[in-house]
Amino acid sequence: MAALGPQGFDQGVREALAMPVDDHGCADAPRLGAASLVWKFYGDARGLLGFQRLAGTENCIEQLGKAVEDHSVIFSDTLGRARRTGPPIMQTVYSVDPHFWGRTVRDFHRPIKGTISDGSRYHALNPELFYWAHATFVDQVLYITDTFIRRLTYAEKVQIFEEGKVWYQLYGVSSRNQPQTYADFIEYWEGMLDRFVPTKSVLYGTGYLRRGVTGPRWMPAFAWRLLSAPLNALLRNIIVGTLPPQMRQVCRLDWNAKKERRFQRFAAGMRALNPLFNKLPLRILYLPWAAEAWERTGVDPRKLHR
């Protein structure tokens, strides 16, 4: 594995080399399944509370933010991009052919390359960049579960990280930058947070948290400001609360101790309601791709890892 510190990342990412791995033997390769904690928690609908943390942390790294700026329709079709991006990654976890979907996600990124502000090159299949994008999904499972579903034990966090290594293998990209232990992952994550910069992509993607949600064109602006005030207050408390401090800073999102206490009360309330959530119908508690997978296996996840 490459060094986890800033020099290791800089050296690797500046190579701007795509590094897919050999596809042979996929049928016998490891995959996730109903016994895994990733299956249990990744597709839980409460994971939607972490959408901004997931998208934002990924795009606060300059090379990835620039890749989105150069090659994505985020500025013209933000919701459409999310709808097209999410399902293939869900299928990489939950489908009957995760290797096909993992390679499909990888191959979406083959043509994505360019340069950043200092003139250095990037490539989306560079292992340092591709692993960081994957790490934000592992973080989502860890963070959302521990914050809004139930507290995870240290052993469970280790298990989710180890399952994340299997998950990453499904994409077929070099794992040279992948941390080997959960402790290494925490060190890696904290180091990457310190690299955050205010990319155009992340500032655009978090604009609704600074300015408020845009209203329908047919509604007078003064009426929308009045009607949207409670919604904006809720979003600024819950969504901003999920973000790492480094991301709040680069995105110019106000936060203080009072807001933190309010957010923690909300999170504690969500965890207290977990027994009730586990009584919901499967198709309500889980996103469609996860619900279909649980039905296919005949396993009821609501009885697992409670």
Side-chain angles (χ1 to χ4, degrees):
M1 184 187 69
L4 294 177
Q7 291 182 343
F9 180 88
D10 286 335
Q11 179 180 348
V13 80
R14 285 177 180 275
E15 293 173 1
L17 295 176
M19 295 186 66
V21 298
D22 193 342
D23 280 346
H24 296 305
C26 285
D28 299 324
R31 62 176 67 196
L32 300 169
S36 69
L37 291 175
V38 168
W39 260 52
K40 165 68 176 180
F41 295 119
Y42 174 50
D44 190 297
R46 285 167 285 185
L48 295 174
L49 291 169
F51 78 93
Q52 190 62 82
R53 179 183 177 98
L54 174 66
T57 51
E58 181 175 328
N59 292 325
C60 277
I61 296 301
E62 184 175 7
Q63 290 86 350
L64 280 176
K66 192 64 166 62
V68 170
E69 179 184 341
D70 289 347
H71 297 275
S72 172
V73 295
I74 185 175
F75 301 110
S76 59
D77 187 17
T78 304
L79 293 178
R81 177 182 183 270
R83 285 192 294 267
R84 289 186 293 273
T85 301
I89 297 174
M90 277 279 173
Q91 295 282 42
T92 300
V93 173
Y94 290 108
S95 77
V96 295
D97 193 352
H99 304 98
F100 167 79
W101 282 103
R103 268 52 178 187
T104 297
V105 171
R106 178 197 66 189
D107 292 345
F108 285 161
H109 295 83
R110 285 186 182 273
I112 299 177
K113 56 186 176 179
T115 58
I116 60 171
S117 60
D118 65 1
S120 63
R121 298 174 299 134
Y122 69 81
H123 196 296
L125 291 187
N126 171 271
E128 282 68 31
L129 292 187
F130 203 85
Y131 182 77
W132 169 247
H134 173 68
T136 64
F137 283 87
V138 177
D139 168 75
Q140 182 192 30
V141 178
L142 290 164
Y143 177 84
I144 293 299
T145 304
D146 195 60
T147 303
F148 295 122
I149 300 178
R150 67 163 176 81
R151 292 302 194 190
L152 292 167
T153 66
Y154 185 81
E156 288 173 328
K157 293 177 182 178
V158 171
Q159 182 179 338
I160 288 170
F161 166 74
E162 292 294 334
E163 291 170 1
K165 291 161 73 174
V166 176
W167 186 357
Y168 185 72
Q169 187 176 341
L170 295 169
Y171 293 119
V173 177
S174 168
S175 61
R176 73 176 184 185
N177 196 52
Q178 179 175 242
Q180 293 304 298
T181 69
Y182 176 65
D184 287 343
F185 179 78
I186 295 302
E187 180 183 355
Y188 164 83
W189 182 262
E190 293 297 328
M192 293 298 287
L193 295 182
D194 291 337
R195 304 180 67 87
F196 280 9
V197 295
T199 66
K200 181 179 179 181
S201 299
V202 80
L203 289 175
Y204 179 84
T206 56
Y208 72 99
L209 293 170
R210 291 185 298 275
R211 300 185 301 269
V213 176
T214 302
R217 293 181 179 179
W218 53 264
M219 183 176 290
F222 75 90
W224 177 248
R225 281 196 300 271
L226 183 64
L227 292 173
S228 65
L231 172 62
N232 287 323
L234 184 66
L235 290 174
R236 286 168 179 152
N237 183 57
I238 297 174
I239 303 304
V240 179
T242 66
L243 307 180
Q246 295 90 334
M247 183 177 166
R248 294 183 200 131
Q249 182 177 0
V250 300
C251 294
R252 304 191 297 273
L253 296 168
D254 180 57
W255 198 248
N256 55 42
K258 182 178 179 181
K259 292 180 179 180
E260 178 66 24
R261 289 192 296 271
R262 189 182 302 139
F263 172 76
Q264 291 299 335
R265 287 195 297 270
F266 171 79
M270 288 288 292
R271 294 194 301 271
L273 291 173
N274 190 46
L276 295 179
F277 278 105
N278 275 321
K279 295 181 184 299
L280 292 173
L282 191 66
R283 289 275 176 170
I284 294 177
L285 183 58
Y286 280 90
L287 298 176
W289 307 274
E292 289 171 6
W294 288 115
E295 290 170 350
R296 184 178 69 245
T297 60
V299 176
D300 186 349
R302 295 164 296 187
K303 299 177 181 179
L304 300 175
H305 313 298
R306 305 177 87 170

